Amino acid sequence: MRGDPENLELIAASSLPDVLAQMAAAPGSWTPIAGGTELMVAHAAGRLNAQKFISLWGLAELDFIRVQDDSISIGGGVTFGHIRSHAAIASDFPLLARAASWIGSIANQNRATLAGNIVNGSPAADAPPALLVYDAEIELISQRGSRRIPYADFHLGYKQSVLEPDELVLALHLPRRFSKHSQYLRKVGTRKAMAITKVALAGTAIVENGTIHEIRLAAEEALRGRWLTAATRNAARAVLLNEVRPIDDIRSTAEYRKHVAANLLDEFLAELNNRGSSG
């Protein structure tokens, strides 16, 4: 059953303060929409529950990339096309630039926004793995003010987050301190292009003389400070299998996703071991 556009209401505010005022006046009544790449699919399939939308598309207050000495800030309204082509992001955060290149077609990348990809709360989203390993912080804004929290604390579960009904994602802030890290990102999907993610794994690490000194990964506590031996890799695999909580859906089973994730971990650690061995 397809959605009926006559049942929907859409308004376009002229500024971010206008959007925040509208959302504060009726918290939870208005659903923000920017590129619409997720919401329009749900609408076409008749799965869109919301009926009142407020457009964020083109708001200058959300469409920015600011490069500071110690961080890069990316506005919630920045598209993935902009992210993938930005020289400083490609240099400092290559995993995020690579993830941006995976999102649908070029047309999708020029509409889909960073905030939309995050707030949608899908475990198949391409940006979150990179944001997590880069220790990103997310800045949320409402008429009450703004707050900044670790991105790792944003999601509470499937399609659940700490975002309040009157809040928007203002920006993501990424610290510029990963240039010396070995970096890894791999996506497993049905096809090599234009495929929704089944499993993705991102990781960064510093390995010196065969020992992991710093690592960003789900199983990092089982690895930090340890030699990269077969026993260490097996222990990390066991931790990952115990910690990850994938879902069953039409693309894959949870059990399949768990074991593919463990295999990607093996691949990442093997790459780190080879880099360490080669000097």
Side-chain angles (χ1 to χ4, degrees):
M1 179 179 176
R2 295 180 62 85
D4 185 351
E6 292 188 359
N7 295 329
L8 307 181
E9 180 180 355
L10 173 67
I11 62 174
S14 59
S15 68
L16 180 60
D18 288 344
V19 171
L20 299 179
Q22 189 75 26
M23 295 180 67
S29 298
W30 294 95
T31 297
I33 181 172
T37 55
E38 292 287 349
L39 293 177
M40 293 308 294
V41 170
H43 167 64
R47 294 185 284 101
L48 189 59
N49 295 322
Q51 293 186 316
K52 299 176 69 172
F53 299 89
I54 186 164
S55 176
L56 309 181
W57 187 254
L59 291 181
E61 298 99 323
L62 298 175
D63 189 12
F64 62 86
I65 297 178
R66 296 178 186 141
V67 181
Q68 294 95 24
D69 289 341
D70 59 350
S71 67
I72 292 181
S73 299
I74 306 174
V78 172
T79 67
F80 285 99
H82 193 180
I83 289 172
R84 71 174 294 184
S85 63
H86 195 277
I89 292 176
S91 174
D92 284 51
F93 307 104
L95 304 186
L96 182 58
R98 191 183 311 167
S101 72
W102 290 342
I103 294 177
S105 64
I106 296 297
N108 285 117
Q109 292 167 21
N110 288 334
R111 290 290 302 186
T113 62
L114 181 60
N117 193 246
I118 291 169
V119 173
N120 184 49
S122 169
D126 289 302
L131 295 173
L132 288 169
V133 299
Y134 286 137
D135 287 343
E137 291 188 336
I138 187 167
E139 185 174 0
L140 309 176
I141 190 168
S142 70
Q143 201 171 49
R144 295 174 285 112
S146 64
R147 59 183 177 128
R148 187 163 158 171
I149 62 173
Y151 175 59
D153 296 337
F154 179 75
H155 296 287
L156 300 176
Y158 178 70
K159 299 284 186 177
Q160 297 177 331
S161 74
V162 300
L163 190 71
E164 297 290 342
D166 62 341
E167 283 184 314
L168 298 173
V169 174
L170 176 63
L172 274 296
H173 305 280
L174 290 78
R176 302 181 71 184
R177 58 178 185 78
F178 292 93
S179 61
K180 295 182 179 180
H181 285 65
S182 297
Q183 303 191 25
Y184 173 93
L185 179 66
R186 186 171 174 192
K187 167 181 175 174
V188 176
T190 305
R191 302 178 300 274
K192 289 187 176 181
M194 294 183 65
I196 296 175
T197 302
K198 291 184 178 183
V199 182
L201 182 77
T204 71
I206 292 179
V207 180
E208 295 177 356
N209 300 320
T211 301
I212 296 176
H213 289 271
E214 184 175 347
I215 189 163
R216 294 291 180 272
L217 195 70
E220 61 191 43
E221 292 302 325
L223 293 163
R224 189 182 295 114
R226 299 178 183 272
W227 291 95
L228 263 173
T229 62
T232 298
R233 290 162 60 179
N234 288 336
R237 182 185 179 96
V239 169
L240 185 143
L241 287 171
N242 183 59
E243 287 187 354
V244 296
R245 296 289 185 271
I247 62 170
D248 291 307
D249 63 14
I250 60 173
R251 289 185 294 277
S252 288
T253 66
E255 194 65 20
Y256 169 84
R257 287 185 161 108
K258 287 179 68 171
H259 286 281
V260 171
N263 290 343
L264 296 183
L265 173 62
D266 287 341
E267 182 178 82
F268 174 46
L269 296 179
E271 286 187 9
L272 290 179
N273 194 43
N274 290 338
R275 292 172 189 171
S277 298
S278 61

